[in-house]
Amino acid sequence: MTQDINVLALVKGQERYIFLYDDEHKSEALRTLGRFASNPELSFSWYDAAVLSQRIRQTAMEQRTEAEAESETAAAPAPPRHSRFKLPLAE
């Protein structure tokens, strides 16, 4: 089983901020955004942290919705098959 890696990137002038995280470490990624925003040596702002954290949450919600739709499709019974032709029934 492979584990998906989420990639989140921000380009600010010459600087590049790239965050890689899996679904199990989403909260750690959010904390990292806060640590970067509170670091005065970085150009990473609280606004940047807010926008990227919103994107992390939105991505997680989309993934959850997709997973629920897939499980509903798998659990739903197949629609009844209709015969293309009407044949007389043997008595």
Side-chain angles (χ1 to χ4, degrees), residues 30-55:
L30 293 168
R31 283 191 297 274
T32 300
L33 297 176
R35 283 196 304 273
F36 277 36
S38 64
N39 186 340
E41 295 179 13
L42 299 176
S43 67
F44 195 87
S45 68
W46 283 106
Y47 177 79
D48 299 329
V51 169
L52 294 181
S53 65
Q54 181 180 21
R55 184 66 191 142

